[in-house]
Amino acid sequence: MVDLHHAREVDTGQPPDLDFDGFYAAHFQSLTIQLYAYTGDLADAQDVVQEAFLRALARWDRLTTLDDPLAWVRRVAWNLATSQWRRARTAALFLRRHRPEDTPAPGPDRVALAEALATLPAQQRRVVILHYLADLPVRDIAAQIGAPEGSVKAWLSRGRTALAARLSEKEDGR
Amino acid sequence: MTNLDHDPLAAAFDDFRGRVAPFVKPAGADRTREAMRTRTRRRGLAAAALTVLVIAIPLTVQAVWRTDPHGLPAAPVLPDPRVSASTHYFVGPGQNSRPSRTAPEGGIAEATLYSSVIDLPAWPEQSSRAGCPAGPVEFQDGDTQNGRVTLWIAGVVHADADRDGRAETFARIFCMSDNDIASRILALTNGSGGGVRTVGTVIEQAADAVAICGIRAGTDGAIQVEIADFPMAWRCAERQLANERYISRQWLTFTWNGSSFVQQGEADRTVNPYASDLKLTGTDLVMTRQANGRWTGSMTLTVRNLGASKIPYRTQSIIMAGMKLIDPPPGCTMGKPQAGMVDVFCTGAELAAGGTRTLTLNIDTPKRARLTFVPSTELLPLNNGYNDPDESNNNAPLAIEFRD
């Protein structure tokens, strides 16, 4: 049984953990799930999130002075993921050395949502994931991706509609 | 934020979270620390290696390669340039490889090619407009990126195309700019001064080869290229997204005739029943004040099918909360207002190839309001997104204006 409470990114209402171990343990999974939803590749998602935490560790003293260190790590991970081809050369070099075996992942037939998300335009996919999986309000999504709140609202609205339509098609197709 | 009672997508995402969570395997904080220490050490080593390289360059440039600037080369006299110490390369989505450091006599090793300057011929007009560069481009470990344009090498083979006993090198090269992806097969050989010289293009993505999926050496110096009729032309760039149900593949054979590469035989002409292209245009919504104090206006949406197959679709127009449809056309409904806006959805039955459908939405609102969002209309193909690859014409800007 998976504890969804721990899988969520924003869950405790407490200030961010200031020790790296606790911070890593609290947020690695939720960030990876978000990036998996975006990329459709769990191994890649783990790679970019790990790379983001690695970069966070390298500047940990400065990072802990930020109001929201998690936002910094999230932004780095998403930037790595969205600069798709460049990201992997950096991240893969590190993590493939540390990955003991191929990363098992849920098959597409088991996660229809991932397949449906893959059909959305990138901006819509991104804001939908940040809304539903990172539980971010529109204002924070806009801040993270550097877009006006109005655009985020529009993307979110279109993305939700498109996603619902896709999932509905899949249901009908069964 | 997520509300299981009111939003079915929230339940889908929570289910997703639960299904994926057990598969996430963190490397752990300790290994992250270890990696950071390793990376710091490597940076030190890299700086030392750079010093050695600077010393080595004067020795390299003394060498001269004999080549024919117009055709395939005579015998090069130097070994391949040295390559990066890394053995891991990334050459495109889903295509991690360990490039070979060896090549047949005369050929360029895959690893060498991955970190070289390649003189790219001009891309077809559409790709060129999208920013795909021509001329010398420096690749590093299999790819290169400049702003929103990324190029990468995905597949290298060798064949003795001119039958001189020395191999030529053939590479599949992709260029991506946003969602536009082009690909081609280039013939390359060792150039003068230790570089790579481009002999020519074997084939590139075009109307009759919408996806270049593979490359292999044939017999007697031939080069073979796999093409596929993906409705979405770039699917061969992302293997994991390929859905074989929608495509057919075939291998084409090319040989060198002394001045260019020519295709042997005819390709099977296939018409992909899933290929299509919907185009949306729309008019602005101009609201005018009526005698009763209310505001009314209309907007027209036009959907054209520029493709080869019929396709159903849905349009989604975002207008202002408080606006209502007057006599909604069949298939049109309104969503729930949220954040100052409301959606108008119109479902269209299958639109035949070459067909056009026009829809007029008449709209009423009790009061003038100020925009707090970006209105527009989006078109959503209702066939798993597979058969409308050109998304650039699926959106129509919408201006909403109030006139007294």
Side-chain angles (χ1 to χ4, degrees), chain A residues 21 46 50 85 94 132 158, chain B residues 7 25 32-33 35 93 376:
Chain A
D21 288 35
Q46 293 194 165
Q50 180 66 24
W85 283 269
F94 161 60
Y132 282 103
R158 289 181 205 131
Chain B
D7 186 350
K25 306 295 180 195
T32 307
R33 284 194 188 84
S376 68

Side-chain angles (χ1 to χ4, degrees), chain B residues 53-76:
Chain B
L53 184 62
V54 169
I55 294 169
I57 284 173
L59 300 175
T60 307
V61 297
Q62 292 173 19
V64 178
W65 290 18
R66 289 184 292 115
T67 58
D68 170 2
H70 303 296
L72 293 171

Side-chain angles (χ1 to χ4, degrees), chain A residues 2 4 7-8 20-21 24 28-29 32-33 36-37 42 46 50-51 53-54 57-58 83-86 88-90 92-98 103-106 110-111 113-114 117-119 121 124 128 131-133 135-137 150-151 153-154 157-158 160-167 169-170, chain B residues 1-2 7 9-10 12-14 16-36 39 42 86 88 90 92-93 96 140-141 143-145 150 152 176 181 238 240-241 314 316 318 338-339 341 343 345 372-376 378 380-385 391 395:
Chain A
V2 175
L4 294 181
R8 288 181 189 278
F20 181 76
D21 288 35
Y24 182 101
F28 185 94
Q29 185 183 70
T32 301
I33 292 171
Y36 169 57
L42 186 58
Q46 293 194 165
Q50 180 66 24
E51 175 69 17
F53 274 105
L54 184 69
L57 180 59
S83 100
Q84 300 175 64
W85 283 269
R86 176 61 59 181
R89 209 181 64 229
T90 308
L93 285 177
F94 161 60
L95 271 156
R96 298 227 155 73
R97 282 197 297 272
H98 294 78
T103 306
R110 295 177 58 193
V111 186
L113 183 67
L117 280 166
T119 67
Q124 291 179 25
V128 164
H131 173 75
Y132 282 103
L133 288 178
D135 287 334
L136 293 184
S151 299
K153 286 179 189 173
S157 173
R158 289 181 205 131
R160 292 164 77 165
T161 305
L163 193 58
R166 298 278 192 253
L167 290 173
E169 286 167 30
K170 288 180 187 303
Chain B
M1 290 284 288
T2 52
D7 186 350
L9 284 180
F13 274 96
D14 278 338
F16 176 84
R17 207 184 254 125
R19 285 173 183 268
V20 176
F23 291 92
V24 177
K25 306 295 180 195
D30 288 342
R31 295 184 79 167
T32 307
R33 284 194 188 84
E34 179 191 333
M36 189 178 74
R39 184 175 287 188
R42 282 174 184 271
S86 170
H88 296 265
F90 186 73
N96 297 290
Q140 184 64 45
D141 292 350
D143 67 38
T144 183
Q145 187 173 34
T150 302
W152 70 96
M176 179 189 72
I181 293 192
E238 284 197 68
Q240 69 270 30
L241 291 179
R314 180 179 301 163
Q316 179 188 13
I318 302 179
Q338 54 172 342
M341 52 191 185
D343 294 313
F345 304 108
T372 58
F373 59 94
V374 182
S376 68
E378 196 88 10
L380 178 69
L382 293 179
N383 200 342
N384 286 326
E391 293 178 348
N395 178 278

Side-chain angles (χ1 to χ4, degrees), chain B residues 344-355:
Chain B
V344 177
F345 304 108
C346 293
T347 302
E350 288 180 332
L351 180 60

Side-chain angles (χ1 to χ4, degrees), chain A residues 49 95 122 174:
Chain A
V49 173
L95 271 156
R174 282 176 188 166

Side-chain angles (χ1 to χ4, degrees), chain B residues 118-125 127-128 132-137 139 151-156 170-176 181-188 198 200-206 209-215 223 225-227 233 236-237 254:
Chain B
I118 300 177
D119 191 11
L120 299 177
W123 294 83
E125 185 184 351
S127 306
S128 182
C132 292
V137 173
F139 287 75
L151 295 106
W152 70 96
I153 301 167
V156 174
F170 299 84
R172 185 171 69 134
I173 295 179
F174 280 94
C175 174
M176 179 189 72
I181 293 192
S183 58
R184 58 179 20 168
I185 304 291
L186 289 186
L188 307 161
T198 301
T201 303
V202 178
I203 184 176
E204 60 191 344
Q205 192 175 295
V210 296
I212 296 175
C213 299
I215 178 174
I223 184 76
V225 178
E226 186 188 37
I227 63 169
C236 265
F254 295 84

